[in-house]
Amino acid sequence: MTQQDITDHVPDGGKSSDDQSSTSGSQFVPNSCIGFDVTADFAHFRKVGNNSAKPSYRIPPRTTVAGLLAGIMGMPRDSYYDLFSPDSSAIAVVPKELPHTYTMGITTVNTKADDAIQYLPHERSWQQGAEMLTPKSYVKYDRQRDTYEMLVDPIYRIYVALDDRDVHDELRERLEDSRYHYSPALGLSECIADIRNVDVHSVESASTDVVDSAAYDASTVIPRPGITIKRERAPLYMEATDNGRKTTAFDNITYATGDDRLPVNESRAYTVGEHRIVFC
């Protein structure tokens, strides 16, 4: 989302939770939203622009949250970007407890190259399986050991609403019934996640200038003396291309540290359940 004049978000001096459309020209603000807790033993959200050493965002990027939800609904890769565009979706993430980190060496195998893994070579039969158990018998490419920054015991409260009511209702039902097409994970597929406390909340304007959630839109945040905040540059929205996908917008994931709450423009704050949040 690009930087905008804050007044663009407040027509006629205020907001109405009865409006399905955004208070800005493109931001979607719902009447109600789905809320759920998601946690895992470990999480890793790889920062863009790093290859060998792999640091992690502390808060899952918006694109990661969209991918998590699309996987739960079984949507094909690169097919859901319009569904999670700024004018048709609203997402907020509350870090219930900022996780500490642990550096871990992980050995990986390239599985993207054509025929990278050959579990049963044509010239071998299943009766010669003992030889096939050795790495050289089924992997063409060398394993690679990388250093990952892992988040330990993260817990996030995610709030989401979609303008497409059919998809929104399907997502709610799948979350309530724990009926996932693909197992939810926090970043890496090995970081299997546990989803709990699924609920539907009304969205109301909040008379506050501090919130519990992180912010994906830097223009929402108003730094204040005495409050420590951190910002991490991350992809915000994507679109499908002939060769896959591309990022259409970057912004800062901004969050408060310690016991502080994030200072924001009051016109962008909402009450959802027990939390005060900003949507993006």
Side-chain angles (χ1 to χ4, degrees), residues 169-247:
D169 291 342
E170 179 188 352
L171 174 61
R172 175 183 52 78
E173 292 171 1
R174 284 182 174 273
L175 290 169
E176 290 175 341
D177 299 338
S178 299
R179 184 169 52 89
Y180 315 131
H181 188 94
Y182 295 107
S183 297
L186 288 181
L188 296 178
S189 59
E190 294 85 353
C191 301
I192 300 299
D194 179 26
I195 292 176
R196 60 188 71 168
N197 300 328
V198 181
D199 206 345
V200 176
H201 303 279
S202 60
V203 177
E204 305 290 342
S205 298
S207 299
T208 181
D209 57 0
V210 290
V211 295
D212 305 299
S213 70
Y216 292 117
D217 181 355
S219 68
T220 303
V221 180
I222 302 177
R224 184 181 303 171
I227 297 180
T228 302
I229 63 174
K230 291 189 175 181
R231 288 178 169 175
E232 300 175 329
R233 194 74 169 170
L236 192 59
Y237 303 110
M238 291 186 173
E239 69 178 13
T241 66
D242 292 339
N243 298 321
R245 61 185 180 184
K246 71 175 183 179
T247 302

Side-chain angles (χ1 to χ4, degrees), residues 111-180:
T111 60
K112 293 184 179 180
D114 292 341
D115 299 323
I117 296 182
Q118 300 177 342
Y119 291 101
L120 184 60
H122 293 300
E123 66 272 15
R124 302 290 183 182
S125 73
W126 64 270
Q127 295 172 326
Q128 296 167 305
E131 183 178 349
M132 291 168 54
L133 291 177
T134 62
K136 290 184 179 179
S137 67
Y138 61 88
V139 179
K140 280 187 176 182
Y141 301 91
D142 292 337
R143 285 169 165 77
Q144 178 174 325
R145 190 170 181 80
D146 293 313
T147 301
Y148 285 76
E149 182 183 39
M150 306 297 293
L151 309 182
V152 181
D153 295 328
I155 305 176
Y156 304 104
R157 180 75 178 173
I158 295 179
Y159 296 101
V160 58
L162 301 173
D163 193 25
D164 187 321
R165 300 307 302 178
D166 291 336
V167 179
H168 179 95
D169 291 342
E170 179 188 352
L171 174 61
R172 175 183 52 78
E173 292 171 1
R174 284 182 174 273
L175 290 169
E176 290 175 341
D177 299 338
S178 299
R179 184 169 52 89
Y180 315 131

